[in-house]
Amino acid sequence: MTLVELIARADERALAVSGLACLDRCVPLLGGGDEVLRPLWSGLADGAVGEEWGERLEKARGELPALFEEPGEDLAAPLARRMLDTAPDVPAEPAVREWADACSLASLRIHQLLDPADDGSPVDARRAGRTDGVSPLVAAELRRQITVLELLSGPAPGGLRQVLAVSTEGRRVLRAVVSRRARGRR
């Protein structure tokens, strides 16, 4: 099944987890530590919705530094910030579906922007299953997104612990890419 199909079939919880996982993998671009989104993960595990989710979301927004775009800066960090800023205060339909889909696109685009081997093909085509010529960083992010949704939709749905492990691996990879890129600019 393609990523687009998996997102279309996902329920509210899977969509919230998928969107949060995409955001979590991109936290290194926002200057945040590995634990900044932990309350949101815990909230999903505990079934926190509505006001609880919204409060945890506001706390995370406050803990991540604001970005000040400068002309000519790359677009990766603002895309990551937009994922955080547009997260719905209540992870319910239709807002959570729109957010999860936008996070999927943004995360793939971020990985594409950070991968010098990428050919610049539209990420929409990648999500629809056309993966010929896809760069390693984008291919890995695409696999992670698919894995997260498959873990949550299988006959015996996987837990958040497995999803968090997939997301943590992706965050480490992106943190290494961002660090290498920063060293290259010096």
Side-chain angles (χ1 to χ4, degrees), residues 55-94:
E55 288 172 6
R56 292 171 188 211
L57 183 59
E58 279 307 308
K59 184 175 185 230
R61 286 176 179 147
E63 289 179 11
L64 290 167
L67 297 177
F68 300 97
E69 292 181 54
E70 295 180 24
E73 280 293 303
D74 66 57
L75 300 175
L79 281 171
R81 186 65 198 194
R82 195 168 316 135
M83 281 194 277
L84 178 62
D85 290 344
T86 61
D89 290 333
V90 177
E93 288 277 5

Side-chain angles (χ1 to χ4, degrees), residues 8 35 46 48-49 51 54 57 60 71 82 84 99 124 167:
E35 300 297 316
D46 299 340
V49 293
E51 194 172 309
L57 183 59
R82 195 168 316 135
L84 178 62
W99 179 65
D124 286 340
S167 188

Side-chain angles (χ1 to χ4, degrees), residues 1-17:
M1 208 175 303
T2 68
L3 180 56
V4 171
E5 292 167 333
L6 287 167
I7 291 172
R9 293 181 179 202
D11 63 15
E12 285 180 351
R13 180 177 181 269
L15 291 167
V17 170

Side-chain angles (χ1 to χ4, degrees), residues 81-152:
R81 186 65 198 194
R82 195 168 316 135
M83 281 194 277
L84 178 62
D85 290 344
T86 61
D89 290 333
V90 177
E93 288 277 5
V96 74
R97 183 168 303 281
E98 292 170 17
W99 179 65
D101 191 55
C103 286
S104 169
L105 282 166
S107 185
L108 285 167
R109 180 71 179 127
I110 286 166
H111 284 76
Q112 184 180 48
L113 289 167
L114 296 175
D115 192 341
D118 193 81
D119 65 3
S121 296
V123 292
D124 286 340
R126 307 298 190 207
R127 291 177 358 126
R130 291 184 292 266
T131 58
D132 49 307
V134 66
S135 67
L137 196 60
V138 175
E141 175 58 15
L142 185 60
R143 274 193 309 278
R144 283 185 200 95
Q145 288 187 28
I146 289 170
T147 299
V148 163
L149 288 165
E150 286 175 344
L151 282 169
L152 297 168

